[in-house]
Amino acid sequence: MSLLELKNISKSYLSKVGNFQVIKKLNLSVDHNQNIFLFGPSGCGKSTLLNLISGLDSSDSGEIYFDGKLIKNHFDLLKDDIGIIFQDHYLISELNIFDNIKLKSNDTRKIENILSYFKLSQFKFKYPNQLSNGQKQRVCVARALVNRPKLLVADEPTSYLDRENADLVIDLIIQSSKKYKVSSIVASHDISFKKKFDNSYTIQEKNLIKC
């Protein structure tokens, strides 16, 4: 049984000239412990697809199954089973790193363990403005994984990073997914990451094709 299955998903947005269809009858299957790379330029529909998967947006038609069950409400999944890494950090500036992660989990032991794994323990009482962009994004990966979700969704997680930190973050996502037995879907416009993943797709003509 697949962890995630999308069946005939379509999505349109209302524009000044009428409905603009981004995705049309898209199908995707993601297995347990599988890492998927989603490649494509800005505006091709990557973010739309990830938002539909994570429940931040709803489809016009089609069905999404998680662990064999039809998703009717993403709330519980977002709490425990789906971790999200956004393009922006979305760290609360008034909270230190420990408390930013605590927003996702009240389990102090889990937070300490994830900080240690990501080599962030020394920064736990620092605030976001005291960290580099690379360190902030590592915190975001740690926050997304602290509850040991089954699926990690990352939308352009390296767009603000230099090459060294971009490679580091992608490698951390892959290594962490294997350590914690998490499936991942990572979107990026950087094709160089493709070789690190199990399967790669791009969106063309409103649907997925392997690349």
Side-chain angles (χ1 to χ4, degrees):
M1 180 190 301
S2 299
L3 172 66
L4 177 73
E5 193 168 4
L6 280 64
K7 293 185 176 181
N8 296 316
I9 297 294
S10 296
K11 179 64 180 179
S12 299
Y13 293 102
L14 186 62
S15 69
K16 293 180 180 179
V17 295
N19 279 343
F20 175 70
Q21 190 164 45
V22 183
I23 292 172
K24 182 178 180 181
K25 293 185 177 180
L26 182 147
N27 294 282
L28 174 66
S29 180
V30 180
D31 292 335
H32 290 267
N33 309 323
Q34 186 178 34
N35 295 306
I36 300 293
F37 181 60
L38 185 59
F39 168 74
S42 297
C44 75
K46 302 189 306 297
S47 293
T48 295
L49 177 57
L50 295 187
N51 287 342
L52 295 174
I53 290 170
S54 58
L56 301 180
D57 202 351
S58 57
S59 63
D60 299 330
S61 60
E63 298 175 329
I64 301 178
Y65 293 83
F66 195 89
D67 257 350
K69 296 179 180 179
L70 177 65
I71 298 177
K72 296 182 179 179
N73 187 328
H74 273 80
F75 179 78
D76 290 334
L77 291 178
L78 285 173
K79 181 181 178 182
D80 298 316
D81 293 324
I82 299 178
I84 305 175
I85 304 170
F86 298 98
Q87 184 173 353
D88 293 312
H89 302 124
Y90 293 118
L91 297 172
I92 297 176
S93 59
E94 293 81 9
L95 299 180
N96 62 35
I97 299 312
F98 187 93
D99 288 338
N100 263 281
I101 297 178
K102 194 175 180 181
L103 292 172
K104 185 70 175 177
S105 172
N106 286 318
D107 190 323
T108 300
R109 181 182 56 83
K110 282 185 178 181
I111 298 173
E112 294 286 1
N113 286 343
I114 203 78
L115 286 170
S116 176
Y117 178 71
F118 283 99
K119 297 180 173 58
L120 291 168
S121 296
Q122 70 205 75
F123 304 114
K124 67 180 180 180
F125 295 127
K126 290 187 178 294
Y127 290 81
N129 64 359
Q130 296 175 297
L131 271 59
S132 68
N133 282 337
Q135 290 165 343
K136 289 176 187 176
Q137 201 62 313
R138 282 160 55 198
V139 172
C140 293
V141 179
R143 180 180 59 188
L145 289 169
V146 68
N147 279 333
R148 307 291 195 274
K150 295 179 181 179
L151 177 65
L152 180 66
V153 176
D155 188 5
E156 296 279 4
T158 65
S159 59
Y160 297 135
L161 304 180
D162 58 30
R163 170 52 57 187
E164 181 180 357
N165 279 299
D167 286 335
L168 174 62
V169 166
I170 293 297
D171 288 342
L172 278 174
I173 290 173
I174 297 295
Q175 293 164 10
S176 302
S177 67
K178 292 178 180 177
K179 175 179 174 64
Y180 297 119
K181 294 181 171 55
V182 176
S183 298
S184 71
I185 306 174
V186 178
S188 176
H189 61 271
D190 190 338
I191 193 64
S192 69
F193 298 139
K194 172 185 171 181
K195 60 183 180 294
K196 300 176 183 287
F197 291 80
D198 299 318
N199 281 318
S200 301
Y201 298 89
T202 190
I203 297 178
Q204 288 187 5
E205 298 181 357
K206 304 168 188 174
N207 217 311
L208 285 176
I209 63 168
K210 280 198 170 185
C211 65

